């Protein structure tokens, strides 16, 4: 059990970074269920990805690749760097 959301973030954030850094992430999405509760607001995520990785990475993970998934188009990823 997690005591707080902060505990959850401390545990999973390093893994999320590693997945993006090593080329395993094809898309980043929200598990939002409502426009009012747990909103799908992704601007902070976009800013973080652009700052920590690159604007190109943020666009690919948040726009280009999800769009390809919805259109059933292939996503081209570089060979991931294994752990």
């Amino acid at each position: 059990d997690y005591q707080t959301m902060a505990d959850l973030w401390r545990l999973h954030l390093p893994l999320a970074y590693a997945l993006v850094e090593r080329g395993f992430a094809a898309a980043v999405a929200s598990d939002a269920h409502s426009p009012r509760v747990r909103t799908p607001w992704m601007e902070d995520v976009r800013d973080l990805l652009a700052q920590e990785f690159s604007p190109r990475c943020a666009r690919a993970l948040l726009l280009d690749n999800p769009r390809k998934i919805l259109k059933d188009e292939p996503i081209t990823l570089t060979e991931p760097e294994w752990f």
Side-chain angles (χ1 to χ4, degrees):
D1 275 313
Y2 303 109
Q3 296 292 323
T4 66
M5 283 300 290
D7 292 338
L8 182 66
W9 276 103
R10 273 191 288 282
L11 178 64
H12 292 96
L13 195 58
L15 176 59
Y17 268 78
L19 292 173
V20 173
E21 287 171 342
R22 294 172 180 265
F24 286 94
V28 173
S30 166
D31 67 345
H33 297 270
S34 159
R36 294 184 191 94
V37 179
R38 288 176 55 191
T39 67
W41 183 255
M42 299 293 283
E43 186 173 329
D44 293 342
V45 175
R46 182 201 63 213
D47 293 346
L48 178 115
L49 288 168
Q51 179 181 345
E52 296 290 325
F53 301 100
S54 72
R56 182 176 176 211
C57 175
R59 181 178 176 86
L61 294 175
L62 292 169
L63 291 173
D64 299 338
N65 290 347
R67 184 176 291 126
K68 288 178 181 180
I69 291 168
L70 292 173
K71 291 181 170 185
D72 198 27
E73 296 176 355
I75 296 171
T76 304
L77 296 174
T78 59
E79 179 69 26
E81 179 184 328
W82 293 95
F83 291 87

